[in-house]
Structure formats: C-alpha cells, structure tokens
Amino acid sequence: MTTTTPRTTPSSTNGEQGDPRLDAELAGIDVAHLQHVLLGHYPELRLAARTLMSDERFHQIPGQTLAEHRERVLAQLRLLAVEGDVHRSFPVRFGGAEDHGGFLARFEELTHADPSLQIKSGVQWGLFASAIYHLGTERNHDEFLADALSIAVPGAFAMTETGHGSDVAAIGTTATYDPATQEIVVHTPFRAAWKDYLGNAAQHGTAAVVFARLITAPPGGQAVDHGVHAVYVPIRDPQTGEFLPGVGGEDDGLKGGLNGIDNGRLWFDHVRVPRTNLLNRYGDIAEDGTYSSPIASPGRRFFTMLGTLVQGRVSLDGAAVTASRLGLTIAITYGNQRRQFASASPTEEVVLLDYAEHQRRLLPLLAETYAAGFAHEDLLAAFDDVFSGRNDTPETREDLETLAAALKPASTWHALRTLQTCREACGGAGFLAENRITGLRADMDVYATFEGDNTVLLQLVGKRLLTDYGKSFKHLDAVKVARLVAERAADAARFRTPLHRAVQTIADVGDARRSAGQLRETATQRSLLVDRVETMVAEIAQALRPAQKADPATAAALFNQHQHDLVEAARAHSELVQWESFTAALDRVTDPGTRQVLTWVRDLFGLTLVERHLAWYLVNGRLSAGRARTVTSYIDRLLTRLRPHAQDLVDAFGYGQEHLRAPIASGAEAERQDEARAYLKAQRASGDAPRPEKHVR
Amino acid sequence: MTTTTPRTTPSSTNGEQGDPRLDAELAGIDVAHLQHVLLGHYPELRLAARTLMSDERFHQIPGQTLAEHRERVLAQLRLLAVEGDVHRSFPVRFGGAEDHGGFLARFEELTHADPSLQIKSGVQWGLFASAIYHLGTERNHDEFLADALSIAVPGAFAMTETGHGSDVAAIGTTATYDPATQEIVVHTPFRAAWKDYLGNAAQHGTAAVVFARLITAPPGGQAVDHGVHAVYVPIRDPQTGEFLPGVGGEDDGLKGGLNGIDNGRLWFDHVRVPRTNLLNRYGDIAEDGTYSSPIASPGRRFFTMLGTLVQGRVSLDGAAVTASRLGLTIAITYGNQRRQFASASPTEEVVLLDYAEHQRRLLPLLAETYAAGFAHEDLLAAFDDVFSGRNDTPETREDLETLAAALKPASTWHALRTLQTCREACGGAGFLAENRITGLRADMDVYATFEGDNTVLLQLVGKRLLTDYGKSFKHLDAVKVARLVAERAADAARFRTPLHRAVQTIADVGDARRSAGQLRETATQRSLLVDRVETMVAEIAQALRPAQKADPATAAALFNQHQHDLVEAARAHSELVQWESFTAALDRVTDPGTRQVLTWVRDLFGLTLVERHLAWYLVNGRLSAGRARTVTSYIDRLLTRLRPHAQDLVDAFGYGQEHLRAPIASGAEAERQDEARAYLKAQRASGDAPRPEKHVR
C-alpha cells in the first residue's frame, strides 16, 4: 500500500513504543518511499544504469555456447565504453569525474543484465585500468590509461597463479631489471607460477598488468627481491590475436558460471618490457637499477598496493545483494500466486506463501538481504570517503579493508543460500533456465572464493579483531590489565554458576510476553550481538596468549587449533555490522507505516541471528532456556506479521519485468491458477461434473 | 594402510572400550576391506556397472550444446539397452531377473558417468517401463513392455502438471471412457493441466504413460470420477517425430542442470486411445463402462498406485550419495596436495587439509556421507524385500515409503551442501568445469524437489510419526493415557527446574574428559537422538490435539502453525535413521583397525548432529552448558584423529581416475607443488637467490 499522509513518530523509537495492536494498524509500506531509501547514496546513477540495462542488447541469453557468450559480453563492453559512464572514477583529463562510489554503484547494476557483464567490466575497468591508475603514476597514465578505458586494449589483471590464490605475497613470477638494456625481464620460473583464472587472458586481452617479484641490483650491489610489484606487459598482437614472442597460455575453458568471461592462463619466458612499464607509484627503479619507494617497509608497501584493490570486494558485495534481491523478488512473487494442496477448504488451494514453512524459508532470507543491502551502502560510503581523499588515512584505509573483508563473505554466501532456497521454493519451474535463478546462482558461485577466499578474508577480520582487542590493553598498565582479566574471569564464572541461572530462569518464568518484548528492543538485540563478538574475541585472545612466547611451530599449532573460533568470531562481527547498518537505516525511513514494517524486518534479522547462535547464548549463560524459547516464538510472530507485506518488500527493490525476465514472476502463474479455478467452479455450478467415487458409495 | 592380520574385538563394543592411546595405535584403514563393506549388497553388480561406465562413450562432455547433449544421452541409452542389464527388475519372459534391488544399484552407478544418463534411464526404465509393468497387467505388458525396454519406444511419464507438482491427487487431465467406440478420451481442460517437466517429452518420446482422472459411467448411470489412473498414449509419429493429431507440447528448454534430458510439456485435445490402453492392475473398465478395482477405497487405491513409484526416490537417494562421494574424493585428494600460506616455517607451506578450518568444513560432511551411504544400503534392502515379494505387506510398503521419504531429502540436500563446500575448498580450480564439481552440483540441484519436493516429503514423514505416536496410545485406556501425559509433563518440568540443572552442572564440573567419554558411547548418542525425535513428536501431538475437534479452517491454521516443527521433527528422524544405519554397519567391519577409524567417523557424525541441535538439547535441559561445551571439543579431537585417515576414507569409495576425471585430483597439483618447492630449494642452496629486501636493510 502507499501511505499518502506521512504520520510522524519520534525517530529514536524505531517503532518500539506503544501498543502492538496499534503498531499493526499503523504498519504499511509506502513502496515508492522505501524504494528511494534502498537506492541509497546514488539513486540517479542506479536508476540510469537500470534503464540502460533494460536494453536487451545487454541481457544474458541462456544456452549460448562459450564462444557466443564471450563475444556477446565483449560487444557489451564496447557498448558500455561508449555509453556506460565507465570513466566515472578516473581523472577528469581521461573523461572521468573521480567519483569512486558512483562508479561502483553503476557497475553493480550491471548484475541484472548478466553477472558476466559485471565481472568482465570489473576486469577491464575495475582491475586492469584501475591498477594502471592506482599503482601507476602520470607517466603510466599517459601511456596506457586512455586505451584501457576505451577498450582499444582489453587487458588482464595477472595476479593469481595456479599455485597461489589468496596468498599473493607468495607468487613465483619474477620481474628482473636489466640495466644493460634498461628493460624489465618478466619470467615464469615453474608451472605453479603460471598466471591463472584471469579474465581476458584466454582470448581478448592484448596486454596484462602482471604482478611479479621485482628484482634489481643497485650499481655494483647484489640483487634484491623487493617483493610484489605490477608491470604492464603486452601479451598479444592486436591484429592477429596471436601471443607475442615469449608469452604463452591456455584457456581455462568452461566454468561453473560466468561463461561470458574468457578466463585463462598466461606464462612468460624472459619477456622484456621497457623499464617505464613498471607501475611505479609505490616503487620505482632508476636507470642504473637503484630501487626507491615512498614506503620504507616492504610489508606495509605490499599491503598498501593490495589495498587499492579493495574496490573489487566492495563491488562483489553489491552484486551479491543485487542477486539476492532478484531471486527473492522472483520466488516471493511466485509464492504469492502459486497454489498447491487444498487445506481448510476442499475446493480452494492454498497460496505457497501462506504455508508457515514457506515463510520460514524465505522471509528470514529477505530480512538478511535488507541487512546486507544497508550494510553495502555503508561500505560504499566508507569506500568513497577514502578513495575521494575526503578521509584517507592509514587507519580509515585499514578500517575500509576490514569492513570489505567482513561484508563480502557474508553477502556472497548469503546470495548462494538465498538463490538455492528460492530455486527450491519455485520447484521444477525454478530449475528452468528461463526463470533465471539457477543461472544467477551458477554465476554467483565463484564470488565466494574470488577477490579473496571468504574463509581467508574472515580470518583476516578475526586477526584484526584480535589486534584491536590487544590495543585496548595497550594503554593500560599491568595492574589494570590484571584487574580487567580478573573481572572478565569473574564475569564468566558468574554466567556459569547455577545460582545465576536459577535466578534468571525464575525471573523469566510466567512472563514470556515481556521477554519477547525485550527481545524486540534495539538495545537488547545490540547487547546480545556485541557481547557475543567481544566474548569470543576475548576468549581467543586468552587462548592464544601462550603463542607470544612459543617457538613458531608451537605458535602455529596453537593458532590453527583456534582457527575455527577465529573465523566464527569474524562471522559474528560481520553479522553485527549488518545489523548496525540496518538499525541506522531505520532512521532514514520517514514514513511511519513503512518504518514499522522495516523495524519488524530488522527484528526478524536480529532474532534470526540470535536463534542461529542460540547454543552459544545458552552455553555462555547469556540467555536462559526460558528466554531462548521466546526467541523462536517471537520469530514466528514476526513471520505472521510480515507475511502481508512480503510483496511490497520485494517490490520496493524496484525491478521491472525487464530486469526480472522470469516468466514465473510475470503474472502468468496467477492467470493459469485463475483459469483453472474458474473452470472447476463453472463445472461444479453446471451440475454435470462427474461425481467423485467416494461420494457414490 | 592394509592390516594383514585381522585382530578380533568383541563386536558389541564398537571400539568403545580400552585406552584411547591404544585405540589410536590400533587405528588404520584396510582400504580394500572398507571398499567391500561400502559396496553393500550388490558388490559385483556395482563393480560391473563401474567398469561399463569407465567407457568414455558414457562420459559427460562439459560444454556440449543442449541438442548435442540430448543426442549423446539418447545414444548412451541405446547402448545401455543392449549391454546395460536394464531388464534386471522385469519379468523373466522379458529378459529380466525380477531383481529389483540390483536393478537400482546398477542405475545408481551411472551417476559417475553423467547424472543425465542416470535420470534419462530412470525416465525410460524406472518410470515409463516400470509404470507399464507395475500399474499394468499381462495384457499391457504383452502390448507395450518389450518396446519400452528396448527403447524402440522412448516414453514419457506424464504425471506432473504445470499447475500441480507434488500434489498428484489434484491433477486436472481427464481420461473419459466412451462406450460407443470403446475408447478412452484423454483431455487437457486448461493450461495449468498441461503435463510439464517430463523427460522424453520435448523431443524423443513417441508414447507416454499419462496420469489422468478416470471418468466413466456404468450402463445407464451418471459419470463418476474414479480418481487418478494411468493410460498409455502414443504421442509422436516414430518416423517423422511429429506430434500425433490432438497432441501438442513445448520444450522446457535449458535447465539449471541435467541438460542431457529433453524435458518438455504435453497437452491433449480429446485424444482417443483403445480401452485396453488403460494400465488396469488397480482399476479397470469393462466394455460397457463398468468400473472395477481390487482396492475398494479410492484413497487407498491412489496411494497403492503411487507407492509403486517409490523406486524413483530410492534411486535418487543412491545417486545423491554417489555425487557426495565423488565431490569429497576430489576435494580431499586436492586438499592433501595443495599448499597455501607458510605457517610455522618460512619455506614450507601448509597442505590445505592440515588447516583446522578445512578439516571442520570437509570431515563432518565426509562422516555424513558415510552415514547416508549406509542408510541407503538399508533402504535398498527394504525396497528389495518389498518388491521381491519376500516381505510385501501394507505395513512394510508403508514403512518403505516413509523410509524413502525420510532419506531422500536428507541425502539430496546433503549432496548440494557437500558439493558446494567441496567446490569452495578447491578455490578457483573447483569452479572450472573440467574439475566436475560445479557440473555435479548443477545436476543434483533438482534432486531436492523432483520425485517429491523434499519439504513435502518431510511433512509426510512427520505425519507418519504423529500417526505412530497416536497409535502408541490406542491400546491404552483413558486412565493410562492421562497418567502418561502427566508423567511427560512432570518429566518436562523436571528438565526445566533450576535445581535439576544445578545438580547436573555440578556433576559435570571438573570432569570434562569423562563427559566426552560418555558422548562417544553408542548408547549416549542414541539416547540423545531418540529422545529428541520422541519429545518433538510428543510436543507437536500435544499442540495439535485441539485440531481434532475444531472446524477445518481452525484445524488447518493450527496445523500450519506447527508445520515448521513437524518438518524439523521429520528431519531429526531422518538423522536418527542414518545414525542407526551407520552404527549397525560397524558390525560388518571385521578389521579392528578399520573399525576403530569408522567408529570415530560414526562418532563425528553423531556429535555433529548433537552440535547442530545443541540449542534444543540445552533449552530442553538434556545437556548442561558444561557438557554442551564438551561436544565441540570432542568434535575437535575427532577431527585431529581422523585427519591422517582422510585419504583412505575417500579412497575406499573405490573410484579410479576414469570415474573422477578431475585434473586436480589426478596428482597434477602435487607435481606442480613439488616442482615449485624443488626450484626454490635449489635456488636457496645455490646462494645466488636475490636477498629479500627486509633482510637487506
């Protein structure tokens, strides 16, 4: 429904106060308003991109061969290069606007048309051109950037090797400076150091930004390995499409999805490029072979260079949200039309979404998709803050990287789970390629491991949480630390004593409704989620303490022993971040009826998290058994409340049929159901319907 | 390792007794012996089928077009019809052996080659020919069976309609008898009644077994709807491939997987077939239109007819186990060779499977795959017992259907989860089609909803559990029932009182090792799993009690309110069945070293289940917080113990490279890693390696 007269409520309450029955009367979604809130920081850019993507030249055609799909996506990139505002994040002198957030927002919207289009665009502009821009200096920009932006030179981003994926620091390719010819010699020393899984490498790329260990000797000195740097290397003759001398490779062939991209392998046999092909912003070689860098520490230099690549993770996070929204729009629309099994009435079948289990399967995923979407907008804002230079410090960069490392695993895994559930919720129809869900899922699959394997990223987040935890002790003297540790221990003991639990249990008894009321309070949800992250991190820190003084093998073993806990703590942190983003977003919803529904969605998300980790809350004495029961019953109540608003909640994602392109979400199912019901009703009315056998006997 | 001298231990202990350190020394897998145990009831048939499937003519070629893949699989079926022992379950006079279990075991082994081959074979022999056989009489067999078996007539099994999937009783297609011409008129009254998703319907089928409401009038009487029956209907001219007059249809086109099968839609416009085309085992029409059936009750007749189709579910259960085994063999072999990140040593990288999180992700899935495999062999035995006639009663049929309805959802969802985790565990390499995991996953996707939607099946299981629970009260008088209910209530209260928990907690304190010891006992695991199923069912029965006297709408609403609980109870039942099958199988492992390892695997499965539902055990007072903690720590210990045996555990599945056909599981990764390590070692030894920059400063 559309509320025409916005009623105001104090913005700080988030719908917590007042009589629940009144809340239910108030509840109703102003779809246009909610859609605007969801468009986030870049509404015009997103809407423009969606309009562009409604052009069928950009749409994936299921069932195309590998060769056809690759050619189609390359052609789409050429269209984009002309019409697609692809220069947006680049300097003004290259036609850009230095608008980094807007650049990513636009690219995320390519996902509706074909995820291959988003990723191939990401390879060309987000990785290849952006590496030239961010890792290079004006010298490199002048020489390489214009052709990269126009796709005169399709390019590969040659970082990953067959033998090393997420561990970039360990790559084997070398770039050795030869002062005699002032050239850099790029070389692949063994099979495991072949570059692999690179978009544009199998077919279209004529150049590559190659990551290699930069080796150079100062005049008269010994060769030094300066670690990973990027070098611009031509790889194919643009006329013939043949590899240049010394370059070779293989096609990665068919993949589980994203087959519009020509992923492949590359190797280099002492390939020589001019010294000036080194992208030299963070490390340079003088003519005589002297190395220089604005960053003294090789470790910090490495992470700074890699840090410029965070935009890939940000944009995967956005694409995953888009894919989840598409899947849920299709499945919930279908679930609102499809009837199956007569329940109360012998003649009237039930709409799928009226089944409690169907609600249980889809609506919590819808709530999590809302959370992931709001969190993504915050990530995009943080990204733009740093990359615009408005707030670019080592600390904000590190925060941005941690945030991206936390959110990308959460949203990409969520998309896979969501699309699979949506597929199953649509039954056999969901398995047909024409209804798009299986294709989206196949394309999204690799999002869980590329641009940083999700588990590896969560481990990074976990380490950062540990570091921060360590820092919070840094400014305290030894006595204070000891007291804090003792307090924590006492705290833990208190939670573990039977007495405490007994008291809490008694307090809970007989007032389940009050308990549920508490659970829907923002402060209660926050404290449950925050407490879990903090406690988990503190416990791991405590457990790892002996590692500080142990030999490397013992320390590594101890760390490994707690790897799972660390990953789980990072996951808990991601969930908390999503929940906080959602909660903050409620204040941007000015229509009170919409805010009431959204608050329920946020509550559903929060309580789904608590339910998911209920064992933890019970084991650690944070919830009594009695209160734990109310978590599930309050979720059930929320599902019932939200069910009437489910269609509005997906409609607010703002996709038209030109974006969905799924016949089962087109209204065809409702037509079929109506026709069947009308036929059977007319037959019953006519009196000449055959009598059921059981009525005859 | 292979133990040459089997040491005997009492078979009832399942390795529970004795010093754990001695157990660890004893542990070691006799791979050949374990492989034999896993081959189950039909070792020769399975091995013969695997040998046949090593012929590359049967192998899927990733990237084939829809048309090519369909043609290839049809050609494979023709090969099978000659060499494939496809008559095995059919009568001797048709070249068969009436060996129903062996028939399915052979077909399951087609999954290695291409799941499309298994399913298209299932359509032809398991559905189309089997419907003629099981739903027809000798009259039908003589007329139709030989051509169906030889694929002279490729056939569709036309049950599902666009508007009705799992709810077969509600289909709209009619088969009306016309005594004037002694013909049956098959008709599709509206669009939702089109037959849909039928293998062989889009292209290859020349006939179909069509399920329709059979309508006939006794002489001079009014037309009666006798409910769903099956009619044999020619649909295409075998010469031209064109639809016969009155028949039409559509191609379902590309699907998310299984594209070797030509699924499609069919409609019938008053198509006339001879009266004798009715498959008349369970219902017949005399020339004058009189209907007769050996089963008086229309409801029981319907379920009897549908019951003959249980073999489809049994065989999907087997295929899901096969797919999980293939995925895990690939991922664990790769995880044992692939190195990533240096941990303790600066020069030695760690093998993936040595990471605790990698073990946590893969080994519980391996344990569950073992459980699903043993459960499947028990299901196959139950199936053969009934279908061979050795033990064919209404009760054993019902038990078989319930067992299949419980296991098929568990194993098919497990396969999807397992294959996805395996894909991610292999990183980018796992996403390449050549490494097979994405293709297997895509093919398995629809197993979760076809031959009965998993959620619908679990609901059937749940209803059966409720019925059985009701029956257990049947023979008690009212006083006894009241007493039982009171006892249960008291029991529940006892579990909920703080005092009880306090006592239990105190008992647990300080002896975590003893608690863990208890958890590894068979009896403890069983009682935890059984208790959960029983309690959940009892609670739902209690909650649904008011429905018995309520009006239909109120009763339906109450049922819907507990639908999720019912599905969860059914899931708990499936898990218990799998666990019991695994436990029973331990007795078939005669080598003590192998049995020790397998017992750990069983423990890992059992404790994974307890951990999965830990919140339930805590909320319901079955485990104290202290003991709950030991569940996770004992799982950690089991993972460490099992890690050295992981390769043997997948090798025992018995697949050669000709079945795996995944380059990353071929040893190529180990070669690459060895080459890289040798290169770097030689470089270090030579002394002319460039010095790392950080060592220079």
Side-chain angles (χ1 to χ4, degrees), chain A residues 162 164 301 338 349 693, chain B residues 162 164 301 338 349 693:
Chain A
T162 304
H164 284 99
R301 188 191 312 141
R338 170 75 167 183
E349 293 175 305
E693 181 183 325
Chain B
T162 303
H164 284 98
R301 188 190 312 139
R338 169 76 167 183
E349 293 175 305
E693 181 183 324

Side-chain angles (χ1 to χ4, degrees), chain A residues 462-463 466 537-550 554-563 565-566:
Chain A
K463 285 180 179 168
L466 282 177
V537 172
E539 282 182 358
I540 299 164
Q542 186 71 19
L544 292 181
R545 187 160 297 202
Q548 289 167 4
K549 292 181 181 170
T554 310
L558 189 66
F559 189 83
N560 197 27
Q561 209 182 311
H562 293 277
Q563 191 190 19
D565 300 333
L566 193 65

Side-chain angles (χ1 to χ4, degrees), chain B residues 136-159:
Chain B
T137 57
E138 220 163 274
R139 171 184 94 188
N140 308 120
H141 301 169
D142 289 341
E143 196 171 351
F144 306 123
L145 204 48
D147 284 350
L149 289 173
S150 70
I151 331 189
V153 176
F157 182 79
M159 186 157 80

Side-chain angles (χ1 to χ4, degrees), chain B residues 101-141:
Chain B
F103 174 77
L104 288 197
R106 277 205 71 125
F107 275 106
E108 289 161 17
E109 298 291 336
L110 305 184
T111 313
H112 314 125
D114 183 351
S116 283
L117 176 57
Q118 190 224 1
I119 297 302
K120 179 116 169 169
S121 299
V123 169
Q124 182 67 24
W125 292 294
L127 291 173
F128 176 64
S130 290
I132 296 167
Y133 174 31
H134 290 298
L135 301 182
T137 57
E138 220 163 274
R139 171 184 94 188
N140 308 120
H141 301 169

Side-chain angles (χ1 to χ4, degrees), chain A residues 498-577:
Chain A
L499 180 65
H500 173 76
R501 274 200 281 150
V503 170
Q504 199 189 355
T505 307
I506 288 162
D508 288 344
V509 159
D511 199 358
R513 206 181 306 162
R514 209 182 117 253
S515 304
Q518 286 173 0
L519 285 169
R520 72 177 205 155
E521 277 172 28
T522 302
T524 307
Q525 291 174 33
R526 177 178 287 127
S527 77
L528 285 169
L529 297 175
V530 169
D531 181 21
R532 182 157 178 265
V533 179
E534 285 184 349
T535 306
M536 290 173 93
V537 172
E539 282 182 358
I540 299 164
Q542 186 71 19
L544 292 181
R545 187 160 297 202
Q548 289 167 4
K549 292 181 181 170
D551 61 284
T554 310
L558 189 66
F559 189 83
N560 197 27
Q561 209 182 311
H562 293 277
Q563 191 190 19
H564 180 65
D565 300 333
L566 193 65
V567 169
E568 288 306 306
R571 217 187 284 265
H573 171 76
S574 310
E575 293 166 349
L576 170 61
V577 170

Side-chain angles (χ1 to χ4, degrees), chain A residues 298-358:
Chain A
R300 205 157 63 75
R301 188 191 312 141
F302 173 73
F303 286 110
T304 304
M305 289 172 69
L306 254 63
T308 60
L309 308 172
V310 71
Q311 70 179 11
R313 289 173 193 163
V314 176
S315 102
L316 298 192
D317 185 56
V321 169
T322 301
S324 298
R325 287 175 176 173
L326 284 170
L328 284 166
T329 305
I330 293 166
I332 286 178
T333 302
Y334 182 68
N336 251 332
Q337 297 179 2
R338 170 75 167 183
R339 293 173 183 276
Q340 193 81 292
F341 289 105
S343 168
S345 148
T347 58
E348 193 72 344
E349 293 175 305
V350 178
V351 155
L352 291 187
L353 204 58
D354 281 335
Y355 287 107
E357 181 68 4
H358 214 71

